[in-house]
Amino acid sequence: MAYKDFANDYKNKMTGNSLFLYGAEDFLMSWAVERIIDDNVEEESRDLDVRVLDGETATAYDILGEARAYSMFSPKRVVIVKNYLPLYKKAADPGMDELADYVEESRQLEDASSVLVFVLESMNSGSLTSYAKQMMKKCKAYEFAKLERADLNAFIIKRIRLAGKMLGSGEMSHLIDVSGYYNRGSGYYLTHLDSDLAKLTGACEGDSIDNTLIDEVVMGETDKYVFDLVDALCNRKTEKALVIAETIIGEEDGAMAVLALLTKQFEIMYDSLELSERGMSISQMAKATGINEYRFKKAYQAAMGYSPRKIKSLLIDLYDTDRKIKSGDIDKDMALELFVVKASK
């Protein structure tokens, strides 16, 4: 179930007293937990009536003890169990079956003393055990997956407007593309986006957020360096490319990070030329490779400045450079400068 299902069920008092929250979006799970706490525990009583257990060390009997205790001040206690080990790893815990029976029995009890919430964070949600699946049937379970496009747009607009700023539809698309939120295997989630939106609105001096500011704030300096460097290389602007390289070298371990990203970018460039020969559009190529469309488009445009043979040759140089740096045969900063000179010829 998506977060909308939780919101709807919660509004209609259908979530019960035993919940299982899991999925990619820790931000949304935290939001759901806060709603449960707000509605069940008085603010001045939260130190006593909100219990957060570390599921990697808490036993089933620890959880049962907290869940069965009564509150003296709030309508109900809220017991949150984060990453209960048997839910994502095969682990023996003597009270597991009793805990499973408890959540099933208390789920719809009107006089239950606690709301028991199991939270399996994103880092563990991909490893559900058979016990987890059993618990999901006994609890009210909700998967907090990445937001669909319309919901993501609404998430962004709400925060932009609250800050008194504006964001056009084109800039919205650019922001989402640059963030890589929908990129296959992306480690960028709502938590990161929420932080970046706060930075964007804080850094915006006028009323509207433009693409330049988005690039500076969301893309990150390293990615920006790589895109600027590749543009200079493809346009044979050796002097400009060397200036960018010198700036990178000035950063601690900057050369190594940029060489790794350069390798990735040239790999995408090589793939883009092969796929374009099959008549695929940029959108189709990006989807086929699972690469952020913005990054793919930049790579494809850059690839137009080289022949496939030249890109292959430069890729081999990058692979050899990585090997030589790791074996101590060449200094990483010198290696970056040498590559820049060769690639811009």
Side-chain angles (χ1 to χ4, degrees), residues 62-83:
D62 292 332
I63 298 167
L64 286 166
E66 293 288 356
R68 286 170 173 158
Y70 282 86
S71 165
M72 294 294 290
F73 307 104
S74 302
K76 288 182 180 179
R77 285 160 59 88
V78 175
V79 180
I80 304 149
V81 185
K82 290 191 174 182
N83 302 310

Side-chain angles (χ1 to χ4, degrees), residues 1-185:
M1 290 185 176
Y3 90 98
K4 283 185 175 179
D5 296 313
F6 169 82
N8 184 62
D9 286 355
Y10 194 76
K11 179 181 178 181
N12 293 302
K13 303 185 184 303
M14 295 169 59
T15 53
N17 304 307
S18 303
L19 296 93
F20 188 124
L21 313 181
Y22 69 105
E25 283 296 357
D26 294 324
F27 185 94
L28 294 178
M29 286 188 273
S30 296
W31 163 79
V33 168
E34 284 302 315
R35 287 199 65 179
I36 294 168
I37 292 172
D38 287 344
D39 288 346
N40 288 280
V41 182
E42 303 293 342
E43 186 141 5
E44 61 270 18
S45 304
R46 291 185 182 179
D47 287 345
L48 294 173
D49 291 333
V50 176
R51 307 295 296 163
V52 180
L53 303 181
D54 181 352
E56 294 190 359
T57 56
T59 67
Y61 290 121
D62 292 332
I63 298 167
L64 286 166
E66 293 288 356
R68 286 170 173 158
Y70 282 86
S71 165
M72 294 294 290
F73 307 104
S74 302
K76 288 182 180 179
R77 285 160 59 88
V78 175
V79 180
I80 304 149
V81 185
K82 290 191 174 182
N83 302 310
Y84 180 46
L85 201 60
L87 297 177
Y88 64 96
K89 285 186 180 180
K90 289 184 178 179
D93 188 353
M96 287 167 56
D97 291 339
E98 187 177 339
L99 179 60
D101 290 340
Y102 170 84
V103 299
E104 186 172 34
E105 292 167 5
S106 68
R107 177 174 161 180
Q108 297 301 334
L109 281 180
E110 290 186 10
D111 61 348
S113 61
S114 302
V115 178
L116 178 58
V117 186
F118 292 93
V119 178
L120 198 59
E121 294 176 320
S122 58
M123 60 184 176
N124 298 318
S125 286
S127 307
L128 296 172
T129 62
S130 58
Y131 181 71
K133 293 171 184 176
Q134 175 190 348
M135 290 287 276
M136 288 166 69
K137 292 177 182 177
K138 295 178 182 291
C139 296
K140 193 74 171 176
Y142 299 90
E143 180 181 6
F144 290 82
K146 285 199 168 188
L147 292 180
E148 294 180 3
R149 190 85 180 203
D151 296 323
L152 185 63
N153 287 355
F155 179 92
I156 293 169
I157 288 298
K158 179 181 178 180
R159 282 153 180 78
I160 296 294
R161 287 179 177 169
L162 281 173
K165 303 296 180 180
M166 294 185 292
L167 186 71
S169 58
E171 287 75 17
M172 170 77 79
S173 295
H174 184 70
L175 169 60
I176 294 172
D177 287 343
V178 169
S179 75
Y181 183 80
Y182 289 118
N183 195 21
R184 185 188 302 171

Side-chain angles (χ1 to χ4, degrees), residues 228-237 241 266 269 298-299 301-306 343-344:
D228 289 346
L229 181 55
V230 171
D231 284 344
L233 296 177
C234 295
N235 289 302
R236 307 300 190 270
K237 296 180 179 179
F266 271 86
M269 288 163 64
K298 294 284 284 185
Q301 291 171 340
M304 295 296 98
Y306 291 114
S344 60

Side-chain angles (χ1 to χ4, degrees), residues 246-311:
E246 288 299 325
T247 303
I248 294 166
I249 288 169
E251 301 287 335
E252 185 176 356
D253 290 328
M256 283 301 294
V258 168
L259 281 166
L261 287 172
L262 272 174
T263 303
K264 181 64 177 175
Q265 197 71 355
F266 271 86
E267 287 173 342
I268 299 171
M269 288 163 64
Y270 188 78
D271 289 341
S272 72
L273 292 181
E274 286 197 332
L275 292 172
S276 66
E277 290 181 358
R278 304 179 194 176
M280 297 173 71
S281 67
I282 290 176
S283 180
Q284 289 172 328
M285 289 188 284
K287 187 174 181 181
T289 56
I291 295 166
N292 177 297
E293 187 170 333
Y294 176 77
R295 182 179 287 276
F296 198 95
K297 183 178 180 180
K298 294 284 284 185
Y300 180 67
Q301 291 171 340
M304 295 296 98
Y306 291 114
S307 67
R309 180 179 293 180
K310 177 70 171 179
I311 294 175

